[in-house]
Amino acid sequence: MPSGFQGAHAAASTQRKHDRPLLTFTSWEGRAACFKELMTIFQLLHWNGSLKALRETKCSRQEVISYYSQYSLDEKMRSHMALDWIMKERESPGILSQELRMALRQLEEARKAGQELRFYKEKKEILSLALTQIYSDPDPSSPSDDQLSLAALCGYH
């Protein structure tokens, strides 16, 4: 187990706010599925730049693991990540379409290689959602109250 995720076992009894408890299934298959979902979330956070931002705010790995262990990869989390990409698009026009093309290419390569597809599918969904929001919402920069807050994670308000 990578050193950064040693705390994942400590978070095993943490309850999710949606769905089910994380890593509290009695079967190994259930535990593996929850661990895979948490790993996908962390892959997306790394790709999205959120882990770097959290590191810069001095959040510990355990705080990050504990926080994200409470959530499932759902529309709420995808919307939050899409908002991050909308902001990146404003800073660097064209980055969304470039990332989406790359995500589609990676998805196809992973499919041909017989690899796990969830991470690539989620990237595609997040980027597609961001593009949809850009073309349908006049002011996507105003986050709603129910979005995940990275600032709240480390106690910053």
Side-chain angles (χ1 to χ4, degrees), residues 94-112:
I95 194 167
L96 259 175
S97 56
Q98 178 184 341
E99 281 288 326
L100 183 56
R101 281 192 303 274
M102 187 183 329
L104 291 169
R105 191 171 46 252
Q106 290 171 334
L107 177 60
E108 186 59 30
E109 289 170 3
R111 182 176 287 133
K112 287 178 181 176

Side-chain angles (χ1 to χ4, degrees), residues 5 8-9 11-16 18-43 65 68-73 77 118:
F5 292 99
H9 183 68
S13 64
T14 302
Q15 296 290 315
R16 286 182 176 224
H18 316 286
D19 299 335
R20 60 193 186 276
L22 182 67
L23 300 176
T24 56
F25 290 95
T26 56
S27 71
W28 283 107
E29 293 84 11
R31 290 180 188 181
C34 285
F35 185 73
K36 279 178 94 172
E37 181 172 352
L38 189 58
M39 290 303 297
T40 300
I41 290 170
F42 277 90
Q43 283 180 295
I65 291 168
Y68 282 101
S69 295
Q70 298 174 40
Y71 296 96
S72 61
L73 187 48
M77 188 176 289
R118 175 90 189 262

